[in-house]
Amino acid sequence: MEICSKCSSPSFYTRRYSGEKFCEVHFKESVISKVSRTISKYGMLKYGERVGVAVSGGKDSLSLLLIMEKLCRKKGLELTALTVDEGIEGYRDEAISNATSITKKLGIRHVVVSYRELFGFTLDKALRQDDRDVSSCSFCGVMRRRAIDEAALRAGVNVVATAHNLDDFVQTFLMNLLHGDVERLGFMSPSYKDGAFPLRRIKPMMELYEEETALFAYLSGIPFQSVSCPYMHEGLRSEVRDFLNQLEAKHPGMKYVLFNSCMEVISHFNISKEKSKPCKFCGMPSSSGICGTCRMARLVRGGV
Ligand code: SF4
Ligand code: ZN
């Protein structure tokens, strides 16, 4: 029987790239302390900041919420959960109700905004139109990013934590390269702020493997959603994910090495703040004078 590296209990999980073995208690502790170390290493949180966690209601974001609740309580930082209702019939309600019950249990303020209220349409309605030039997830991602910003501004938070894990991070890095979007690498900084815009975005779980966030969620009793989003369209991303998983299975630790290489490359990017100018419709930062959100929302509304 294998034994936990931290105590004499039987181990149930081996972190293959480091060789550490964990019992359930020490596995959860190691996840929380890893997130805490990531936050310190990249200076993600500062004294007195008001923190928002983007909570979709899925297992990753609810795990992040549990971890941030512990860490923020320790540091005396105010925490708010921010949720976006895209308007996806038969899918989003379950996630929002999971998020609501956990925020209630933890006594965390919960701000929910919807596409309908912010943009005048639901995702269901927008995707019924077929004149978009981007995939459903790309469209939804741009709108949701703005919706989270709006929720954060309403809640008065100044830093927003998202649940991207190490797998998401390296996949996005490679996807940006494969799409020729090299400029976008600059936006992947672990603690990103766009010029004078008052919000900073952080990724406290970026050094955690996806399998570890899923295991943490399972051990913490976080409900897993029974249905998937009907619009999920991952295309190239799922091929990149499979490729990375195959490499990791043959060479444990390879994703972690790749992550460190990505960080090294990103650290050499210096996105010029002058490049960002206010959108002429909403005033939010944009690269061309009209932000992606307004461009897409106007298409859905027929140029209104
Ligand atoms: Fe939006 Fe795609 Fe996520 Fe569905 S799977 S909620 S369309 S980003
Ligand atoms: Zn705009």
Side-chain angles (χ1 to χ4, degrees), residues 64-261:
L64 176 63
L65 186 67
L66 292 191
I67 296 170
M68 292 302 285
E69 193 274 332
K70 283 194 169 57
L71 298 179
C72 286
R73 187 153 33 90
K74 226 184 199 172
K75 292 175 192 284
L77 298 175
E78 204 180 296
L79 183 69
T80 306
L82 311 168
T83 296
V84 175
D85 180 358
E86 299 92 343
I88 307 173
E89 210 181 327
Y91 167 66
R92 194 41 101 204
D93 293 350
E94 183 189 24
I96 293 178
S97 109
N98 290 342
T100 306
S101 70
I102 290 187
T103 50
K104 265 195 189 146
K105 204 153 104 191
L106 295 173
I108 297 173
R109 182 163 71 125
H110 190 197
V111 173
V112 182
V113 296
S114 70
Y115 281 11
R116 186 197 296 276
E117 147 208 5
L118 295 173
F119 310 125
F121 50 78
T122 61
L123 188 66
D124 284 335
K125 181 181 171 214
L127 297 183
R128 276 199 290 271
Q129 298 180 208
D130 61 3
D131 51 357
R132 285 167 295 105
D133 55 353
V134 293
S135 74
S136 40
C137 288
S138 304
F139 174 82
C140 181
V142 169
M143 306 310 280
R144 195 177 42 212
R145 193 180 163 87
R146 169 61 54 83
I148 288 286
D149 285 349
E150 295 285 352
L153 294 173
R154 255 180 223 185
V157 309
N158 62 300
V159 52
V160 176
T162 55
H164 296 95
N165 55 45
L166 183 143
D167 292 59
D168 298 325
F169 193 89
V170 292
Q171 285 162 24
T172 303
F173 185 93
L174 292 182
M175 297 280 290
N176 282 331
L177 293 188
L178 293 170
H179 284 139
D181 286 337
V182 177
E183 282 243 318
R184 294 194 66 79
L185 299 182
F187 301 114
M188 294 187 69
S189 153
S191 180
Y192 177 75
K193 186 168 179 303
D194 192 330
F197 192 55
L199 293 177
R200 204 155 47 76
R201 287 183 169 257
I202 59 172
K203 303 178 186 76
M205 301 209 299
M206 64 193 278
E207 294 188 315
L208 272 183
Y209 274 36
E210 184 166 331
E211 69 173 38
E212 297 200 354
T213 59
L215 196 49
F216 180 89
Y218 173 73
L219 295 174
S220 305
I222 286 174
F224 283 50
Q225 270 192 271
S226 55
V227 286
S228 320
C229 174
Y231 304 118
M232 187 182 290
H233 172 75
E234 292 197 305
L236 185 60
R237 183 176 283 268
S238 61
E239 289 177 48
V240 169
R241 176 189 295 127
D242 291 348
F243 166 69
L244 291 170
N245 285 342
Q246 281 163 18
L247 275 182
E248 180 72 24
K250 274 198 197 156
H251 313 280
M254 188 141 279
K255 283 196 248 185
Y256 200 70
V257 173
L258 179 57
F259 169 82
N260 285 323
S261 302

Side-chain angles (χ1 to χ4, degrees), residues 146 279-284 290-291 293-294:
R146 169 61 54 83
C279 168
K280 70 175 182 181
F281 296 112
C282 67
M284 293 286 203
I290 301 182
C291 71
T293 312
C294 287

